[in-house]
């Protein structure tokens, strides 16, 4: 349960930020996880892109839509957004 773990994560993020360290969390591209990153005080997020990178056929569009929607949600709320894992010269074009 993500909510049950929010308080310890929020405390850890707070300690890092109090030490002058910017905090980025590695998360799945979902609205719920973006909102949780905001709730615990993250400065940035990095979306896990393996599902997109490994998708084939019609599934590619669905995975790209998840990334697009979650990115827009995060940026609108002031988070810096990064993406990683499995991206290459071909699949990063879209």
């Amino acid at each position: 349960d993500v909510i049950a773990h929010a308080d310890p994560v929020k405390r850890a993020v707070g300690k890092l930020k109090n030490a002058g360290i910017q905090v980025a969390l590695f998360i799945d591209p979902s609205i719920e996880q973006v909102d949780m990153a905001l709730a615990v005080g993250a400065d940035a997020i990095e979306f896990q892109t393996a599902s997109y990178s490994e998708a084939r056929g019609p599934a590619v569009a669905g995975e790209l839509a998840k990334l697009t929607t979650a990115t827009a949600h995060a940026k609108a709320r002031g988070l810096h957004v990064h993406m990683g894992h499995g991206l290459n010269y071909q699949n990063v074009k879209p």
Side-chain angles (χ1 to χ4, degrees):
D1 184 349
V2 175
I3 301 298
H5 299 289
D7 285 338
V9 173
K10 189 172 186 174
R11 285 193 299 275
V13 168
K15 286 181 182 181
L16 291 167
K17 291 178 78 165
N18 286 339
I21 299 168
Q22 290 186 333
V23 178
L25 300 177
F26 185 67
I27 63 174
D28 288 327
S30 76
I31 300 299
E32 295 80 14
Q33 289 195 21
V34 169
D35 289 344
M36 185 56 65
L38 285 164
V40 299
D43 300 297
I45 53 174
E46 179 175 340
F47 286 130
Q48 173 283 113
T49 57
S51 297
Y52 167 72
S53 299
E54 296 168 1
R56 299 293 176 260
V60 172
E63 293 301 325
L64 184 57
K66 288 179 192 176
L67 289 165
T68 302
T69 300
T71 297
H73 184 76
K75 289 184 69 146
R77 284 150 184 81
L79 284 172
H80 293 271
V81 178
H82 309 272
M83 297 189 191
H85 299 299
L87 296 178
N88 58 46
Y89 289 111
Q90 285 75 40
N91 66 17
V92 78
K93 290 177 185 177

